[in-house]
Amino acid sequence: MSIWVIFKLLGSLALLMFGMKAMSEALQKMAGPQLRHVLGAMTTNRFTGLLTGMFVTASVQSSTATTVMTVSFVNAGLLTLAQAISVIMGANIGTTLTAWIMAAGTTFDISVLVYPGFFVGIILIYMKKQRYIGDFLFGLAFLLLGLTTLKGTGMEMDLGNNPAVVSFFKSFDPNSFLTTLIFLLLGGVMTFCVQSSAAVMAITMLLCATGAMPIYQGIALVLGENIGTTITSNLAAMSANAQARRAALAHMFFNVFGVIWILMVFHLFIDGVIDIVDNVGNMLGKDMEHMNSNNKLTFILAAFHTCFNVINASILIWFIPQIEKFVCWVIKPKKVDEEEDFRLHFITAGFMKTPELSVLEAQKEIRSFGERMQRMFGMVQDLLNMSSSSTNKNKNNEAEFTKLFTRIEKYESISDNMELEIANYLDQVSDAHLSDDTKGKIRAMLREVSELESIGDSCFNMARTISRKYQGKQDHFVEAQYDHIHQMMELTDNALTQMNQLMGGRKDSYDVNRTFNIENEINNYRNQLKSQNINDINNHVYTYAVGTIYMDLINECEKLADYVVNVVEARMRLRMH
């Protein structure tokens, strides 16, 4: 076997994988928002959830994309874990369509579709409005080209007449349980290594179609692929939150359980699938007895893959509550103190996502960021109350004050980390081939995270000012000053509440003018207090040093309200896209 033939084999597999990826991404870009709507609306019970997962995965040709979207919905509280498990079961059935496409590719001459696909695809790519359809056609053409090249390479290699290859597979007893386990393990390892069950399925079909590998060993490889693909998702979910890890574990449990029961009836089940293929083929007018036996094997592999996943789902769909309890028992959420939690909740690392899904996750993370900043501002208000009530400082008061100030300091560090992590994530998303709408959304979100981090800075500046006064030897604020600061902080907190209501998605009930009205009220009140402060210092109501600290807090509140307005403006711009 020449080195050129080996490179042809590897290159055709690379074409196949690239075509699958490009086709899947194009379909997800075309139907991103609609897919989210379908997943949210059609998972009312376990059966509709299974059907939804099946059709969505068959549409986008990616069970990973369906799984990631599902986990994202669980995080957002739009789906329960039980509903997510049913969708993932459906995704396992939907992904079997890939095997049928490959079976058709190894049996029929599909090369006639390749170059027209490229030609039409490039025309549509340059037509701006139709470029996703062009991307899809290009991906499909690459997929078909990969399959055609793979088929040609297989014939060129003539593996069925290669003594070394044939003797290797004949050295394994097809009726031995050990042989089945060896090939099952081999399928899992291969899928884990190449990170693509489609590529391993293509290799399996090539070996069977050339007559090099018996059908029983090929089906054992297919079973191994089913487990290998779940190892990948479990490793990807390791850095994610508890719900993501539970969903990935449920996926693994589903497939491992299926492999265990199929091994008990392995030969009987395969013989049954062969009979089904023969009967269906004869009904469709194909003479299955005289059909090329090697070509028939590819359809048997595809039929086995579908029958196995359909029957497995039909059994396990009745036990979803038990599976949910099991994965929740195995994976318990870590108890993390809020102040120490630097991890993002919704953006999960390790998964391949589409820009549409990435934008959805980033929006949820920014919403969480906004709520955290309002909690931080609440702590600043508590710090002010603590400083005003501690006219006679004692050790207990000082310890409580220091503890609260340290919490605010940690929150400021968290806000810096959140800004960096979300911005880096959006930067990675922006490297993808994006629509103009998605680019506009990302620009608006980058502005949001920058302004939210500035809110955190303002809160910390106020906390430092209060701490400086508390620890120093300056006189205390007079009662009127405390009243004015509290009133200003109340207005600022109202502005933050309005901002978080808008970011929470309640667009219909939200009036953007409320935020601008509060901001005008804060500006006017700041100007009024500024004039009054100068008069009070001149009239010796309090010292100049106390007046300076007092106005620092008032000005910082006004600055914080400006950042809130900037966030609201960015969010309204985001809604326009």
Side-chain angles (χ1 to χ4, degrees):
M1 192 186 297
S2 70
I3 192 79
W4 169 244
V5 175
I6 292 171
F7 274 123
K8 254 179 100 173
L9 178 70
L10 295 173
S12 58
L13 282 171
L15 269 177
L16 179 88
M17 289 165 68
F18 177 77
M20 284 289 296
K21 183 174 181 289
M23 197 170 81
S24 173
E25 285 182 356
L27 282 164
Q28 289 170 64
K29 284 173 190 172
M30 279 192 282
Q34 288 80 4
L35 286 178
R36 292 209 314 267
H37 175 72
V38 166
L39 269 177
M42 285 184 62
T43 49
T44 49
N45 60 56
R46 65 183 84 174
F47 301 103
T48 55
L50 184 138
L51 289 171
T52 304
M54 187 171 75
F55 287 121
V56 168
T57 306
S59 300
V60 300
Q61 281 296 291
S62 172
S63 57
T64 304
T66 308
T67 304
V68 171
M69 269 192 274
T70 305
V71 169
S72 177
F73 271 40
V74 173
N75 282 341
L78 299 173
L79 287 180
T80 63
L81 182 60
Q83 288 170 324
I85 292 169
S86 69
V87 173
I88 291 167
M89 282 184 182
N92 257 28
I93 298 172
T95 197
T96 62
L97 179 65
T98 309
W100 286 104
I101 294 170
M102 290 181 183
T106 54
T107 308
F108 302 109
D109 183 16
I110 52 173
S111 59
V112 291
L113 301 171
V114 173
Y115 297 104
F118 281 130
F119 179 68
V120 176
I122 198 70
I123 291 171
L124 293 175
I125 285 170
Y126 281 105
M127 291 169 63
K128 200 172 182 183
K129 288 184 179 177
Q130 307 297 330
R131 69 173 179 266
Y132 294 145
I133 300 173
D135 286 343
F136 168 73
L137 286 175
F138 240 67
L140 181 61
F142 272 121
L143 170 67
L144 297 177
L145 182 62
L147 283 171
T148 305
T149 314
L150 194 64
K151 180 183 173 184
T153 310
M155 290 171 69
E156 192 178 332
M157 291 165 78
D158 195 19
L159 294 172
N161 295 315
N162 186 312
V165 175
V166 172
S167 64
F168 170 76
F169 286 113
K170 279 191 174 176
S171 66
F172 294 95
D173 179 7
N175 297 312
S176 166
F177 184 69
L178 180 63
T179 298
T180 306
L181 286 180
I182 290 168
F183 278 84
L184 188 145
L185 182 65
L186 186 62
V189 171
M190 284 169 68
T191 306
F192 174 69
C193 290
V194 300
Q195 297 282 295
S196 171
S197 57
V200 180
M201 176 64 84
I203 293 168
T204 307
M205 285 189 169
L206 173 69
L207 289 168
C208 287
T210 53
M213 184 166 63
I215 188 65
Y216 293 112
Q217 292 165 10
I219 283 174
L221 274 180
V222 171
L223 287 175
E225 291 159 26
N226 268 33
I227 293 177
T229 195
T230 65
I231 295 171
T232 305
S233 62
N234 272 273
L235 287 175
M238 279 176 70
S239 60
N241 56 33
Q243 291 292 65
R245 297 201 308 277
R246 285 168 179 169
L249 180 63
H251 190 199
M252 177 176 269
F253 174 84
F254 175 81
N255 283 12
V256 169
F257 175 85
V259 168
I260 290 169
W261 72 256
I262 202 77
L263 287 174
M264 296 177 185
V265 291
F266 190 63
H267 290 275
L268 281 173
F269 192 87
I270 295 169
D271 292 341
V273 171
I274 292 169
D275 287 341
I276 290 169
V277 171
D278 285 340
N279 291 330
V280 171
N282 291 328
M283 281 169 60
L284 294 173
K286 301 282 183 187
D287 187 359
M288 299 305 285
E289 287 182 22
H290 296 96
M291 185 181 178
N292 183 318
S293 60
N294 292 339
N295 284 345
K296 190 167 78 171
L297 291 184
T298 59
F299 283 100
I300 291 169
L301 280 170
F304 171 83
H305 198 208
T306 303
C307 291
F308 164 67
N309 280 298
V310 168
I311 293 171
N312 199 31
S314 302
I315 295 169
L316 286 177
I317 196 166
W318 305 102
F319 299 98
I320 284 177
Q322 288 76 18
I323 295 170
E324 183 183 19
K325 282 179 186 171
F326 171 72
V327 295
C328 289
W329 174 73
V330 173
I331 297 174
K332 293 177 174 66
K334 294 176 184 175
K335 292 180 181 176
V336 186
D337 184 32
E338 181 68 38
E339 282 69 54
E340 304 294 338
D341 185 12
F342 288 88
R343 283 181 55 182
L344 301 180
H345 294 294
F346 301 106
I347 292 173
T348 49
F351 282 120
M352 290 299 292
K353 305 180 192 71
T354 57
E356 190 64 46
L357 181 61
S358 301
V359 167
L360 175 75
E361 292 193 337
Q363 280 177 346
K364 289 183 210 150
E365 205 62 70
I366 292 168
R367 176 183 169 185
S368 170
F369 194 179
E371 289 167 354
R372 194 178 288 228
M373 290 304 94
Q374 188 165 10
R375 284 201 298 276
M376 184 179 181
F377 185 72
M379 290 179 202
V380 174
Q381 289 175 290
D382 292 341
L383 196 73
L384 178 70
N385 292 334
M386 203 176 282
S387 71
S388 65
S389 63
S390 303
T391 47
N392 298 312
K393 285 197 283 186
N394 57 49
K395 284 186 179 179
N396 286 339
N397 285 337
E398 282 193 43
E400 286 298 312
F401 186 92
T402 305
K403 185 180 175 184
L404 186 56
F405 180 77
T406 305
R407 282 183 72 194
I408 294 168
E409 198 170 24
K410 282 181 182 176
Y411 259 67
E412 202 276 331
S413 176
I414 289 171
S415 75
D416 289 344
N417 277 293
M418 286 190 81
E419 183 201 16
L420 278 174
E421 287 192 35
I422 297 170
N424 286 339
Y425 180 75
L426 289 171
D427 191 46
Q428 287 170 14
V429 173
S430 65
D431 287 340
H433 179 57
L434 303 175
S435 65
D436 293 335
D437 273 0
T438 308
K439 284 177 188 172
K441 282 180 181 177
I442 288 174
R443 279 196 299 270
M445 285 192 286
L446 284 169
R447 188 183 175 200
E448 279 181 346
V449 292
S450 173
E451 299 296 341
L452 285 169
E453 194 275 332
S454 296
I455 290 173
D457 288 344
S458 274
C459 289
F460 186 52
N461 287 342
M462 281 188 262
R464 280 194 303 189
T465 302
I466 295 165
S467 176
R468 194 169 68 244
K469 183 188 168 303
Y470 180 78
Q471 304 293 349
K473 295 180 180 178
Q474 292 96 339
D475 295 330
H476 285 278
F477 292 139
V478 298
E479 194 172 334
Q481 283 177 307
Y482 276 119
D483 290 342
H484 295 151
I485 296 170
H486 283 306
Q487 194 172 341
M488 180 63 101
M489 284 188 166
E490 196 175 325
L491 285 169
T492 309
D493 192 54
N494 287 343
L496 285 164
T497 302
Q498 293 296 322
M499 176 193 80
N500 282 322
Q501 277 182 355
L502 174 64
M503 292 173 75
R506 293 181 282 275
K507 187 184 177 184
D508 298 336
S509 60
Y510 186 82
D511 180 10
V512 72
N513 290 324
R514 287 185 210 159
T515 298
F516 294 120
N517 290 340
I518 293 171
E519 205 251 345
N520 286 332
E521 199 176 336
I522 287 172
N523 285 345
N524 294 334
Y525 194 46
R526 188 271 316 263
N527 294 337
Q528 179 191 327
L529 294 178
K530 194 174 180 181
S531 302
Q532 192 177 334
N533 179 58
I534 294 167
N535 292 334
D536 287 344
I537 291 170
N538 289 336
N539 295 329
H540 304 292
V541 176
Y542 45 78
T543 63
Y544 180 82
V546 170
T548 302
I549 293 172
Y550 165 65
M551 281 315 297
D552 281 348
L553 291 173
I554 297 296
N555 286 327
E556 205 62 61
C557 281
E558 190 276 330
K559 224 189 286 183
L560 193 153
D562 287 342
Y563 298 137
V564 168
V565 169
N566 292 342
V567 172
V568 169
E569 285 177 346
R571 179 51 59 119
M572 295 309 290
R573 206 165 289 130
L574 182 62
R575 288 281 171 84
M576 288 164 65
H577 288 283

